[in-house]
Amino acid sequence: MAFYLGHTLKIAETMNAHDNFLKVKHLYNRAGFGISYADLQKLSKKKLNKVVDGLFKSPDKDESLALVDSSESKRQLLVQAGLYAKKDLTDEEKKMRQEIVRMQNEVSRDLNIAWVNKMINTATPLTEKMTLFWHGHFACRSNNPMYAQQLNNIQRTHGLGDFRTLLIEVSKSPAMLQYLNNQQNRKGHPNENFARELMELFTLGRGNYTEQDIKESARSFTGWMFDKDGSFIFRQNQHDAGTKTFFGKVGNFQGEHIIDIILEKPQTATFIAQKVYKFFVNDTTNDAQVKELADHFYNSKYNISELMKKLFTSEWFYNPENVGTKIKSPAEFLVGLSRSFYVTYNKPQVLIQLQSSLGQYLFNPPNVAGWPGGKSWIDSSSLMLRMRIPSLVLNDGEIDFSGKADPEDEAVIALNRTTKQKTVKSYVNAQANWPRFLDTLPKNLSPLELTEFLLQPKLNTKITQMVSDNKGLRSTAVEITSMPEYQLC
């Protein structure tokens, strides 16, 4: 009897360990960009709430992007501002302006690559995943790389902190003030662009405010501008100091007052919870689960870490319908593949071309609403490209770049253009560190077990039949990452 009891307990422990293995794998695919087999085995032995807590560890050093030299950028801004202010430019001044624009475009591409590499190599994946989430939520284009870097660092610094602080810092950033025309929002001539998007896309969602609310809040944000060196400045002489009525409240409101009134409305917590749910859980929202998140977020006074811990510790987060059912964004796909196999890109420019062809060129969203995500990531051409990329990145090969390039992005079009408008062909010129990858795997791991690790969807008969035990782990890995199922997380 004791033998059978002990045997039963051992089976139960094995099943629980496997269950925890799958949960931690799912957690790290959604809260980060995947996990190594060795780390997964180690973390699977811990209680799940402890694993979740570990995602929120603070970095040992400042994790900000620091590619752009702010002093040099400010000097260029001042020169450029002086050149744009002049009506008649000499040939020398025209060349100088063109050179500044060329340098800014080059630095913008370098900034993009620097962030992709940060996501690939980060020791704090949740921080970068939240930065990616807010990058899409507060979608913004800026031709000035210093402004783009500053906004990216705001989203990184406050991405797991206080939502009010994040919202105010984003709203005061020169990138956003310029993109949504608040630089032109002046007393007597209000510009409503920023005020409208603040409510429609950043906080409340469409239908939860009136046109009059937009007009009154726009008046409250008059005078929110930035100076010649890109620092926020409140120009009192451009601010409408008159009385405003906003959501039934009356006062001489300024921008911060408007934000506070918006945050008083529970609908703001619901709107953010819905966006978080769609990004981290499922494209189809569950109203009861969203309400659970929204109530917790609102009651925590908009503490983003509290919202995410509530999400990652909820049992329904690990339900079968939420595992392996989301299409990876191009950024998640490229970063996850590169992290898993320790890929080095000898020609980092290819990362720009890959993003462009897959339809998510970071720092260049299609509009202020950001990338629509979900099924829009995939069409027949982009799926074929996605399925080719793993073998090209992991084995190196030639690739032609065509597909979802953003027509508004002149920098990408110029990058991909040849004199005869032919399709651009390039060698990926990347190296996967196969010895390092294989060293993270148990010595006796079978190809089928490796397949279960690499894929998020539950394995079907077709996949298990494809994977034979006489294949090597390296060839299995390339084959599995080239499957459509690898596009799901």
Side-chain angles (χ1 to χ4, degrees):
M1 183 70 180
F3 169 78
Y4 286 113
L5 184 59
H7 186 63
T8 304
L9 286 171
K10 185 169 270 189
I11 291 173
E13 286 174 5
T14 302
M15 289 176 65
N16 286 336
H18 186 66
D19 184 55
N20 214 39
F21 180 93
L22 295 177
K23 284 182 175 179
V24 173
K25 184 161 77 94
H26 173 61
L27 172 66
Y28 265 76
N29 270 280
R30 295 293 178 84
F33 305 95
I35 185 171
S36 73
Y37 202 103
D39 287 342
L40 179 54
Q41 280 189 311
K42 193 185 305 178
L43 291 177
S44 295
K45 296 171 184 174
K46 294 185 176 184
K47 289 184 178 180
L48 193 60
N49 64 331
K50 295 289 185 186
V51 179
V52 171
D53 286 344
L55 284 166
F56 291 81
K57 64 181 180 182
S58 300
D60 297 329
K61 57 182 181 180
D62 183 11
E63 288 291 307
S64 298
L65 272 180
L67 179 81
V68 183
D69 184 310
S70 60
S71 60
E72 173 59 21
S73 291
K74 286 179 179 179
R75 186 193 69 77
Q76 289 181 10
L77 276 175
L78 291 169
V79 172
Q80 204 168 15
L83 294 175
Y84 276 115
K86 289 185 68 175
K87 288 184 178 179
D88 298 312
L89 298 179
T90 65
D91 289 343
E92 188 63 33
E93 288 171 332
K94 285 177 183 177
K95 285 181 182 178
M96 189 184 299
R97 190 168 72 179
Q98 288 171 353
E99 178 62 14
I100 290 175
V101 171
R102 187 196 64 77
M103 288 172 62
Q104 286 181 333
N105 288 339
E106 188 175 306
V107 174
S108 291
R109 291 192 289 272
D110 290 343
L111 182 66
N112 175 296
I113 294 166
W115 185 25
V116 173
N117 281 325
K118 177 177 278 293
M119 287 189 277
I120 291 171
N121 297 299
T122 183
T124 53
L126 178 58
T127 298
E128 292 309 313
K129 195 63 171 280
M130 291 304 301
T131 307
L132 184 63
F133 168 73
W134 293 120
H135 182 73
H137 180 76
F138 295 111
C140 180
R141 283 175 180 256
S142 177
N143 293 326
N144 187 291
M146 183 180 74
Y147 296 168
Q149 177 178 276
Q150 181 190 41
L151 180 57
N152 187 262
N153 282 328
I154 287 170
Q155 291 160 352
R156 179 174 294 102
T157 301
H158 303 291
L160 282 165
D162 174 53
F163 180 66
R164 179 184 185 272
T165 303
L166 172 64
L167 186 57
I168 288 176
E169 290 299 310
V170 167
S171 301
K172 288 183 173 180
S173 68
M176 192 62 77
L177 289 169
Q178 185 177 62
Y179 186 53
L180 295 182
N181 308 113
N182 213 77
Q183 192 78 341
Q184 289 80 47
N185 189 14
R186 303 164 185 268
K187 176 175 63 178
H189 300 281
N191 185 299
E192 298 174 5
N193 279 10
F194 173 74
R196 183 181 300 277
E197 307 305 357
L198 172 68
M199 288 184 276
E200 179 179 330
L201 296 174
F202 300 163
T203 56
L204 289 163
R206 189 174 294 176
N208 293 296
Y209 53 87
T210 66
E211 286 297 312
Q212 190 60 30
D213 290 324
I214 292 172
K215 293 180 185 301
E216 296 293 87
S217 60
R219 291 175 58 212
S220 303
F221 283 103
T222 51
W224 277 40
M225 300 177 183
F226 57 92
D227 60 19
K228 288 180 179 179
D229 68 359
S231 300
F232 173 79
I233 186 169
F234 176 62
R235 298 194 187 279
Q236 186 75 49
N237 63 328
Q238 297 293 346
H239 177 66
D240 183 340
T243 301
K244 299 105 178 170
T245 303
F246 183 68
F247 285 128
K249 295 180 180 286
V250 180
N252 176 17
F253 299 135
Q254 295 184 14
E256 289 92 345
H257 300 128
I258 295 298
I259 286 172
D260 286 337
I261 294 170
I262 288 172
L263 293 176
E264 287 173 10
K265 301 181 80 64
Q267 177 55 35
T268 298
T270 300
F271 183 74
I272 300 300
Q274 285 172 332
K275 291 284 290 279
V276 164
Y277 192 98
K278 285 185 176 183
F279 188 91
F280 288 94
V281 184
N282 200 308
D283 293 324
T284 303
T285 55
N286 179 302
D287 291 344
Q289 292 165 5
V290 168
K291 185 178 187 307
E292 186 182 329
L293 293 176
D295 289 347
H296 189 78
F297 191 36
Y298 189 77
N299 292 333
S300 73
K301 301 188 187 309
Y302 291 96
N303 184 305
I304 302 166
S305 284
E306 284 297 314
L307 168 65
M308 301 312 296
K309 284 180 182 177
K310 178 70 174 174
L311 171 61
F312 297 141
T313 55
S314 296
E315 284 187 23
W316 46 257
F317 177 70
Y318 303 93
N319 285 351
E321 64 268 22
N322 295 326
V323 178
T325 53
K326 275 186 63 66
I327 298 171
K328 296 173 184 175
S329 69
E332 290 170 323
F333 168 59
L334 292 172
V335 170
L337 181 72
S338 303
R339 278 178 73 89
S340 294
F341 296 94
Y342 310 100
V343 175
T344 300
Y345 292 91
N346 300 314
K347 192 174 68 172
Q349 197 77 4
V350 77
L351 288 166
I352 297 285
Q353 295 169 306
L354 288 170
Q355 290 172 62
S356 172
S357 296
L358 292 173
Q360 189 185 25
Y361 183 19
L362 298 176
F363 293 104
N364 287 270
N367 50 55
V368 69
W371 296 275
K375 292 179 180 178
S376 73
W377 290 131
I378 298 285
D379 59 25
S380 57
S381 65
S382 62
L383 178 59
M384 293 304 294
L385 176 59
R386 279 176 178 245
M387 290 169 64
R388 287 189 63 216
I389 285 172
S391 63
L392 293 169
V393 168
L394 302 181
N395 286 335
D396 196 23
E398 190 182 71
I399 187 168
D400 56 0
F401 289 101
S402 59
K404 289 188 156 192
D406 183 348
E408 293 182 44
D409 187 3
E410 294 181 2
V412 172
I413 290 171
L415 185 68
N416 290 347
R417 182 181 293 140
T418 62
T419 54
K420 295 184 179 180
Q421 298 295 309
K422 289 182 180 178
T423 303
V424 174
K425 289 196 173 184
S426 173
Y427 283 93
V428 174
N429 197 4
Q431 271 86 44
N433 190 332
W434 284 106
R436 186 177 176 188
F437 170 74
L438 294 171
D439 194 48
T440 65
L441 306 177
K443 293 281 190 289
N444 59 347
L445 191 74
S446 70
L448 187 60
E449 288 171 320
L450 177 60
T451 301
E452 186 181 40
F453 166 65
L454 290 174
L455 295 184
Q456 278 303 96
K458 194 171 182 179
L459 303 191
N460 56 36
T461 307
K462 179 185 173 184
I463 294 174
T464 54
Q465 288 176 346
M466 282 179 61
V467 182
S468 63
D469 286 337
N470 59 7
K471 287 181 181 175
L473 294 183
R474 175 170 172 167
S475 61
T476 299
V478 175
E479 182 179 19
I480 296 307
T481 53
S482 302
M483 288 181 174
E485 288 81 2
Y486 186 72
Q487 302 305 322
L488 299 172
C489 68

